[in-house]
């Protein structure tokens, strides 16, 4: 027999109708126990696998979850994906994964492909470019639930999972201040993103609490290693240079560290640096990065559990944000209190 075994093949082999085989494999009581056993035994012996794609087309349902990530190589997003995948596998769901590359058009295209493939739900973190959200509303209008994580959308009524960006930033800056830093620069992501607003507020409130000077020039939109290596040299060569940096992610913090070393500045004696994520980058620098741990696996597990509870009718809770707590991991790029 060429190709995978089909219901039609089983029917022909046993001399019965296709509908009888179909009902028997669904354990229909309209088929006798003996006939159901005979059909199942034949199917197992000949390695029958149901055609789930065809079933999805008939029922307009699937056990496929769409996941949109801004990027794959970022430690936090890959950790979130691990958390999502582990729970999905345990509960019998498959994933269809798309990378937006922080591009709005790619994100819209991913949503369109998800709808074409009749995913049963979507978990997403917004691309940096995304400021219009009709594509996500279209999913919800078609009864496809959406759960946002990390870079969330506040304009669509749905559940969201976030880390405590505000307290993570506040704790990091407070620690820098307590170690004696007085002029702390902040490298952030674009401010239309909720995580950027929350981390900025944490930075500002910590600075205000301790009476530290705050100037607009001390806050930069810079969230990549490459950008940090471009703008940091001039900042460090200025007369009133910073004595510390708080960066929105570890990649940016690593870029700052590279520039400091290139300029022969001692870290942390002359310059302290703190990142945000606690991924592989934080452990690979010399010295190792002080950073805020995001707990991406926990974020992913939380997001998919919320989604599956909605899909399986197990959730009676009102919509709300789920907040995953952060903690500061102190290493070699900051002084000790």
């Amino acid at each position: 027999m060429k190709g995978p075994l089909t219901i039609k093949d089983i029917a022909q082999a046993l001399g019965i109708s296709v509908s009888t085989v179909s009902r028997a494999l669904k354990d229909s009581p309209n088929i006798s126990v003996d006939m159901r056993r005979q059909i199942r035994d034949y199917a197992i012996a000949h390695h029958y696998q149901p055609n789930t794609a065809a079933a999805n087309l008939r029922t307009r349902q699937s056990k496929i979850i769409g996941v949109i990530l801004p990027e794959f190589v970022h430690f936090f997003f890959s950790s979130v994906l691990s958390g999502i995948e582990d729970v999905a596998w345990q509960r019998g769901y498959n994933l269809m994964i798309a990378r937006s590359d922080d591009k709005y058009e790619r994100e819209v295209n991913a949503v369109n492909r998800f709808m074409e493939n009749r995913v049963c739900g979507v978990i997403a973190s917004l691309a940096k470019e995304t400021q219009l959200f009709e594509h996500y509303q279209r999913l919800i209008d078609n009864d496809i639930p959406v759960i946002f994580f990390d870079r969330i959308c506040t304009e669509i009524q749905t559940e969201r999972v976030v880390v405590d960006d505000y307290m993570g930033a506040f704790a990091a800056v407070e620690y820098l201040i307590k170690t004696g830093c007085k002029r702390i620069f902040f490298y952030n992501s674009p401010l239309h993103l909720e995580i950027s607003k929350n981390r900025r507020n944490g930075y500002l409130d910590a600075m205000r609490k301790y009476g530290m000077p705050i100037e607009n020039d001390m806050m930069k939109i810079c969230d990549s290693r490459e950008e940090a290596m471009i703008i940091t040299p001039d900042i460090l060569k200025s007369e009133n240079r910073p004595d510390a940096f708080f960066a929105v992610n570890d990649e940016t913090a690593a870029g700052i560290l590279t520039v400091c070393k290139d300029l022969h500045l001692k870290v942390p004696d002359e310059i302290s640096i703190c990142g945000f994520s606690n991924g592989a980058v934080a452990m690979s620098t010399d010295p190792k990065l002080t950073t805020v741990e995001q707990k991406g696996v926990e974020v992913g597990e939380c997001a998919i559990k919320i989604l599956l509870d909605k899909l399986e009718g197990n959730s009676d809770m009102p919509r709300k944000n789920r907040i995953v707590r952060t903690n500061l991991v102190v290493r070699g790029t900051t002084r000790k209190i």
Side-chain angles (χ1 to χ4, degrees), residues 165-179 181 184 186 199 202-203 206-207 244-247 272-276 290-293 326-330 334 337:
D165 292 296
Y166 172 86
M167 281 307 303
F170 185 97
V173 176
E174 182 177 56
Y175 183 85
L176 290 171
I177 294 169
K178 287 183 176 181
T179 61
C181 299
I184 304 168
F186 176 36
R199 292 180 193 180
Y203 164 81
M207 295 286 277
F245 290 87
F246 171 51
S272 291
I273 304 168
C274 181
F276 206 114
T290 292
T291 185
V292 179
E293 185 177 19
T326 60
N327 63 279
L328 184 65
V329 180
V330 178
T334 53
I337 294 178

Side-chain angles (χ1 to χ4, degrees), residues 2-240:
K2 295 181 180 180
L5 185 73
T6 66
I7 289 177
K8 185 177 180 181
D9 295 330
I10 298 173
Q12 289 177 343
L14 298 179
I16 55 180
S17 70
V18 170
S19 61
T20 297
V21 175
S22 178
R23 289 197 295 269
L25 292 174
K26 295 175 183 176
D27 209 27
S28 170
N30 294 327
I31 308 299
S32 70
V33 173
D34 287 343
M35 179 58 71
R36 275 184 274 165
R37 183 181 299 112
Q38 181 182 356
I39 292 170
R40 283 199 301 270
D41 288 348
Y42 185 91
I44 293 170
H46 292 81
H47 310 293
Y48 169 74
Q49 293 291 332
N51 187 337
T52 55
N56 292 345
L57 290 173
R58 290 192 297 273
T59 64
R60 298 186 64 81
Q61 295 178 344
S62 76
K63 299 199 79 174
I64 301 173
I65 295 167
V67 180
I68 301 178
L69 303 173
E71 52 183 305
F72 291 153
V73 296
H74 191 288
F75 176 81
F76 174 69
F77 293 122
S78 63
S79 298
V80 172
L81 182 58
S82 294
I84 293 171
E85 191 171 33
D86 286 346
V87 176
W89 181 82
Q90 292 167 11
R91 291 175 62 168
Y93 288 79
N94 295 309
L95 302 182
M96 184 175 180
I97 305 167
R99 178 176 67 93
S100 69
D101 195 29
D102 276 322
K103 303 292 193 299
Y104 169 74
E105 289 186 2
R106 287 187 62 156
E107 189 177 272
V108 172
N109 180 262
V111 168
N112 291 338
R113 286 192 291 114
F114 288 167
M115 294 188 70
E116 290 169 2
N117 285 274
R118 294 181 169 84
V119 300
C120 59
V122 171
I123 300 172
S125 185
L126 295 178
K128 285 182 190 176
E129 288 186 357
T130 299
Q131 298 188 56
L132 300 172
F133 311 104
E134 291 87 349
H135 49 304
Y136 287 115
Q137 187 61 53
R138 191 163 67 250
L139 286 168
I140 293 172
D141 292 344
N142 281 272
D143 297 321
I144 301 172
V146 178
I147 309 296
F148 289 109
F149 74 91
D150 192 48
R151 300 181 189 171
I152 62 173
C153 171
T154 58
E155 297 185 22
I156 292 179
Q157 297 302 307
T158 188
E159 286 81 358
R160 308 159 192 144
V161 180
V162 296
V163 300
D164 196 342
D165 292 296
Y166 172 86
M167 281 307 303
F170 185 97
V173 176
E174 182 177 56
Y175 183 85
L176 290 171
I177 294 169
K178 287 183 176 181
T179 61
C181 299
K182 300 184 182 301
R183 186 167 173 78
I184 304 168
F185 273 49
F186 176 36
Y187 285 6
N188 198 9
S189 294
L191 285 174
H192 67 270
L193 298 171
E194 288 298 311
I195 61 168
S196 304
K197 297 174 187 175
N198 291 333
R199 292 180 193 180
R200 181 177 183 270
N201 288 338
Y203 164 81
L204 290 172
D205 284 354
M207 295 286 277
R208 289 168 181 147
K209 177 180 177 180
Y210 292 92
M212 294 293 108
I214 303 172
E215 303 163 11
N216 287 334
D217 285 347
M218 295 169 65
M219 295 177 284
K220 306 290 185 181
I221 301 302
C222 173
D223 61 359
S224 72
R225 182 189 185 102
E226 294 74 20
E227 290 176 327
M229 293 183 68
I230 291 171
I231 72 169
T232 307
D234 288 341
I235 292 172
L236 288 176
K237 292 174 184 176
S238 65
E239 291 184 4
N240 195 19

Side-chain angles (χ1 to χ4, degrees), residues 84 123 147 149 161 298-308:
I84 293 171
I123 300 172
I147 309 296
F149 74 91
V161 180
E298 186 176 342
V299 171
E301 290 174 345
C302 186
I304 191 165
K305 286 176 181 177
I306 294 170
L307 177 60
L308 296 186

